[in-house]
Amino acid sequence: MSKMKRIFPAPCPDGDTTPFQDGEDAWFWFARCQMMRRDGARIVSGLTMTPRPCVPDDVYRTVMGLFRRNHLDNVHLQVLGSYGEKMCPPDEYVGDEKDHVPVWRDALEKLGKALQKKGIVE
């Protein structure tokens, strides 16, 4: 017996939403949401000073779609995850981090373009 996918529309706050400036802005927002979830918070759309045009899972699904289509690889995911947890991008002037800068920029450029197509990034 085949499973049917249940599709629910994303919750939409009453009023206007504010798209993210770029992929990095969206990624750090997603990372903050993930850390809050890990700490037990429930993410509820519309309960914020800046309503966003998506839910955190939309950013995750976009990253994983890029990964499945081989636009991002494991190194991209590791760098995104590591610096997402730190809540700051890699620093080109720090020895251990400077090799991560081009990977970070590449990943966020691809993420930003994909999110822009969905109206999540300006």
Side-chain angles (χ1 to χ4, degrees):
M1 183 161 71
S2 69
K3 291 185 178 182
M4 292 180 59
K5 280 188 176 180
R6 296 180 70 189
I7 300 173
F8 296 96
C12 206
D14 295 335
D16 294 329
T17 60
T18 304
F20 296 99
Q21 291 178 13
D22 54 28
E24 185 174 85
D25 189 24
W27 181 254
F28 283 134
W29 174 78
F30 165 76
R32 277 191 305 278
C33 291
Q34 289 302 100
M35 286 188 274
M36 290 187 309
R37 279 180 175 169
R38 187 179 57 213
D39 293 340
R42 275 187 64 222
I43 307 298
V44 180
S45 253
L47 299 180
T48 179
M49 297 298 290
T50 309
R52 297 301 185 172
C54 66
V55 294
D57 291 341
D58 293 328
V59 176
Y60 173 79
R61 282 190 292 271
T62 302
V63 168
M64 295 314 294
L66 290 167
F67 178 73
R68 281 189 301 279
R69 290 187 304 280
N70 296 317
H71 296 287
L72 298 178
D73 59 28
N74 285 326
V75 175
H76 286 106
L77 297 183
Q78 290 168 351
V79 168
L80 285 172
S82 176
Y83 292 97
E85 278 195 28
K86 293 178 184 179
M87 296 305 300
C88 68
D91 187 336
E92 62 187 314
Y93 300 107
V94 175
D96 292 351
E97 297 182 12
K98 67 178 153 187
D99 292 340
H100 297 156
V101 171
V103 176
W104 173 260
R105 288 180 181 158
D106 183 49
L108 291 177
E109 180 183 339
K110 291 173 182 176
L111 176 60
K113 286 179 182 177
L115 292 175
Q116 190 174 32
K117 289 178 185 175
K118 296 179 181 198
I120 295 171
V121 167
E122 294 178 335

